[in-house]
Amino acid sequence: MYPMMTPAQLIGLSLKTGTMLAEAQMVIGMRMLGLMGLWRVAPSENARMSSEKLAALSQSAIATSQAVLTGKPPALIAEAALKPIRRRTRSNVKRLACRGPGQP
């Protein structure tokens, strides 16, 4: 039987998940503005939107499988699944925010 998540683990996982979701919404917003010509995005941004999701999903699945197979508790399995996705959203926010509004 797995030990229960501690309150600190639960809060930490919730904060990481919430941050990732907020970052994802910012990325979506900046990319939509880019599609409308209101935010500077690279010409390759449309292709990148699709390809990076597949890579992040694959990395997340591998990390989750490894955590399960090594007997990690549920909180650590969830964090392992979230880590590759959060890494992508964080880097996308930084990259897109630096480009700013205006023409490409």
Side-chain angles (χ1 to χ4, degrees):
M1 186 75 176
Y2 291 113
M4 296 290 291
M5 288 179 71
T6 66
Q9 287 174 320
L10 184 59
I11 291 168
L13 182 58
S14 296
L15 288 173
K16 289 174 186 172
T17 303
T19 302
M20 182 274 302
L21 291 171
E23 289 169 342
Q25 290 301 309
M26 287 187 278
V27 170
I28 291 167
M30 287 184 276
R31 284 178 168 163
M32 293 298 290
L33 289 171
L35 289 171
M36 292 185 281
L38 301 172
W39 199 268
R40 291 185 201 110
V41 294
S44 61
E45 195 65 35
N46 290 342
R48 185 179 190 145
M49 282 191 269
S50 301
S51 64
E52 73 181 5
K53 287 173 181 52
L54 294 174
L57 180 62
S58 298
Q59 291 170 357
S60 180
I62 290 168
T64 303
S65 298
Q66 288 174 338
V68 169
L69 292 173
T70 56
K72 301 273 193 253
L76 295 180
I77 294 170
E79 284 193 20
L82 183 62
K83 190 174 182 177
I85 297 167
R86 172 96 202 285
R87 188 179 320 122
R88 297 290 172 121
T89 57
R90 185 180 326 120
S91 69
N92 281 337
V93 166
K94 287 180 183 177
R95 180 178 50 79
L96 291 168
C98 288
R99 298 194 69 109
Q103 298 297 317

